Amino acid sequence: MTTLIDTAVHFHPQGTPGALCNKHNRQLLAVNTCQVARLQGYDHAMSTEEIEACFRVVKGERYRYRPQPATYEAVRSGLRAPLTASDAADDIKDRVFTAVDQGHPVLVSDADGNEHYLVAIPATP
């Protein structure tokens, strides 16, 4: 069985608050964009133009929608150095819960050095 986390309109029930849907969609676009950026050697200091070029890779050349400024921030946040278990608890708490509040992915590194994105997809009943 395959499970897909789709855009908010296909994932959440009708009547889900728009702010939650925006966070959901922002994180999906940000994670995909971060992965394209990482494969091209970018980090959190990438320019707006570089992020937009990565958006076009993710969404296709015909992509005309200009993401909200928060989406650019989410991409940069997802490209920060990964959190590890050796980071201070307060640093982990701050990055993870700030990311959840703002709809940003967080890059983490496990004990084997594998990197993963934490993405807080809003849970709706």
Side-chain angles (χ1 to χ4, degrees), residues 19-67:
L20 285 180
C21 293
N22 286 342
K23 283 182 182 182
H24 174 120
N25 291 338
R26 179 179 311 122
Q27 288 190 92
L28 292 180
L29 178 56
V31 164
N32 286 303
T33 304
C34 286
Q35 188 59 19
V36 168
R38 286 168 47 98
L39 292 172
Q40 295 181 18
Y42 292 118
D43 63 16
H44 70 283
M46 66 189 298
S47 71
T48 297
E49 293 77 19
E50 291 165 334
I51 293 173
E52 288 172 350
C54 292
F55 284 151
R56 285 190 296 278
V57 171
V58 170
K59 295 301 234 177
E61 285 299 323
R62 295 184 193 174
Y63 187 60
R64 304 241 187 274
Y65 164 75
R66 180 156 176 97

Side-chain angles (χ1 to χ4, degrees), residues 54-124:
C54 292
F55 284 151
R56 285 190 296 278
V57 171
V58 170
K59 295 301 234 177
E61 285 299 323
R62 295 184 193 174
Y63 187 60
R64 304 241 187 274
Y65 164 75
R66 180 156 176 97
Q68 299 172 347
T71 304
Y72 292 85
E73 294 168 17
V75 170
R76 289 186 179 103
S77 177
L79 291 170
R80 290 177 60 187
L83 286 172
T84 67
S86 64
D87 286 321
D90 284 344
D91 292 340
I92 294 170
K93 181 180 85 169
D94 181 54
R95 282 217 13 223
V96 169
F97 286 97
T98 297
V100 168
D101 288 342
Q102 296 176 353
H104 294 182
V106 176
L107 188 62
V108 298
S109 182
D110 66 22
D112 294 328
N114 299 307
E115 294 181 344
H116 311 269
Y117 285 107
L118 299 181
V119 181
I121 297 299
T124 53

